[in-house]
Amino acid sequence: IATAIGDQSVKMLVNPAAGARMAVGETLTNMVWARIDDPEQIKCSANWMWAPKLPGEGAAIYEAAQAMGNIMIDVGMAADGGKDSLSMATMVGDETVKSPRELVISAYAAVPDIRKIITPDIKAPGSVLLFIDLAAGRNRLGGSALAQVHRQVGDESPDVDDTALLKNGFRAVQELIARELITAGHDRSDGGLITTLLEMAFSGNCGFKLSLNGDDNVFETLFSEELGLVVECSEENQGAVKEILADAGLVCENLGRATEEKQISVGYNGRSVLDEKMVVLRDWWEETSYQLDRL
């Protein structure tokens, strides 16, 4: 079997219903990299951690549960178990401290061939990096890691506005895997597009050179945590990949290429926004985990 997890607790603070839908969406964009028997056979556990006895929180968990049920019906998956921790608040002196709203979706599905698996690490420097947009061009920053590190939450959360787009994207990528047209893939709903690409380069021990264009500002384009996927393919397979995605009604953008040189270069609307050694960025990326390990 393949298993995958989705959780979007920071987005829950902005909009509990959107956060629940995004948790389901992220589960599917994590599950998609294993070729499974049938998307409608996906089952999951839904684990809730909440403080519903506090003012407003009961209504929030109701909205989230209703949203989770509706999107699961739309995409054809089911929760067949789970656990509730609904006493997630305590008093510290005169202050009430509560946990963030949390829904963790843990999904599983049968896999007919365990060799049909795509991992995030870039395999072949010189290959093409393609972005598959599952959010119809939206780039909302609410509940993002970018907002969090600036001690903000935001006011508009990413959401699953079109479940048909999500389902079509899932089936199209499954076909790409079945036909062995892609060699790596990663989703953008935790950290945004730039984090997705950097993690692919970090694990592939290589660099990339990208030329991006858009009407949004550079922060929205690079750090929005909407649903979306990045795939790596060879030059000769690029046409076939784009044809399958187009037939599924998906927008696909050529971002640039992976490079053997360990340099990260990103241009946006003709202006350089990032030019740094990959190993330097990887050290920064690993620093938080290192500090936690030390503690």
Side-chain angles (χ1 to χ4, degrees):
I1 62 171
T3 63
I5 289 178
D7 75 303
Q8 295 283 347
S9 59
V10 183
K11 295 178 182 64
M12 289 276 198
L13 299 177
V14 182
N15 183 329
R21 286 187 288 265
M22 285 296 293
V24 175
E26 184 192 17
T27 305
L28 292 175
T29 57
N30 283 332
M31 175 75 80
V32 73
W33 309 113
R35 181 80 167 96
I36 63 176
D37 267 337
D38 178 2
E40 295 202 353
Q41 291 180 2
I42 298 174
K43 303 292 187 293
C44 70
S45 292
N47 295 330
W48 299 88
M49 284 143 279
W50 216 282
K53 296 175 185 176
L54 296 181
E57 293 300 327
I61 195 172
Y62 177 84
E63 290 177 20
Q66 192 173 49
M68 182 196 76
N70 288 338
I71 189 174
M72 284 189 177
I73 291 169
D74 285 347
V75 300
M77 67 186 289
D80 61 359
K83 183 177 71 68
D84 304 335
S85 299
L86 302 181
S87 300
M88 303 297 288
T90 189
M91 293 295 294
V92 179
D94 295 328
E95 183 182 7
T96 300
V97 178
K98 64 180 179 181
S99 77
R101 303 162 179 171
E102 180 70 285
L103 165 64
V104 179
I105 306 291
S106 305
Y108 56 93
V111 175
D113 184 347
I114 62 171
R115 295 168 298 181
K116 299 289 187 181
I117 302 292
I118 296 297
T119 54
D121 50 307
I122 291 171
K123 308 295 189 303
S127 58
V128 178
L129 298 172
L130 301 174
F131 171 59
I132 304 167
D133 184 11
L134 300 179
R138 298 177 182 88
N139 282 310
R140 293 162 286 201
L141 283 172
S144 63
L146 177 68
Q148 189 178 5
V149 298
H150 288 287
R151 300 181 181 274
Q152 299 176 28
V153 175
D155 58 3
E156 188 178 9
S157 169
D159 203 344
V160 186
D161 300 293
D162 186 351
T163 51
L165 201 58
L166 175 59
K167 289 194 292 184
N168 292 343
F170 191 98
R171 291 184 183 277
V173 172
Q174 290 276 289
E175 184 177 350
L176 295 177
I177 295 171
R179 292 174 56 177
E180 300 184 351
L181 294 173
I182 57 176
T183 49
H186 201 12
D187 83 296
R188 72 161 169 171
S189 60
D190 265 330
L193 181 62
I194 188 63
T195 304
T196 302
L197 290 158
L198 286 172
E199 288 177 348
M200 294 176 75
F202 295 161
S203 52
N205 200 37
C206 63
F208 55 69
K209 185 170 186 177
L210 310 180
S211 180
L212 312 179
N213 294 285
D215 296 327
D216 294 325
N217 70 53
V218 66
F219 295 104
E220 291 168 336
T221 299
L222 294 183
F223 292 99
S224 167
E225 298 179 8
E226 301 278 1
L227 294 181
L229 306 167
V230 175
V231 296
E232 175 197 29
C233 69
S234 65
E235 180 71 51
E236 53 267 32
N237 287 337
Q238 183 179 182
V241 170
K242 289 182 174 180
E243 184 178 347
I244 289 170
L245 294 173
D247 288 345
L250 300 168
V251 174
C252 171
E253 180 184 353
N254 189 324
L255 300 177
R257 293 182 180 275
T259 62
E260 191 165 348
E261 182 188 5
K262 296 179 177 60
Q263 185 76 15
I264 302 298
S265 175
V266 180
Y268 187 66
N269 290 337
R271 182 170 63 91
S272 175
V273 294
L274 179 61
D275 192 14
E276 185 58 84
K277 288 180 170 34
M278 181 274 287
V279 291
V280 171
L281 296 174
R282 187 165 60 188
D283 283 347
W284 293 351
W285 179 76
E286 292 178 338
E287 179 69 17
T288 303
S289 297
Y290 167 67
Q291 293 295 344
L292 285 170
D293 287 345
R294 288 181 70 230
L295 293 171

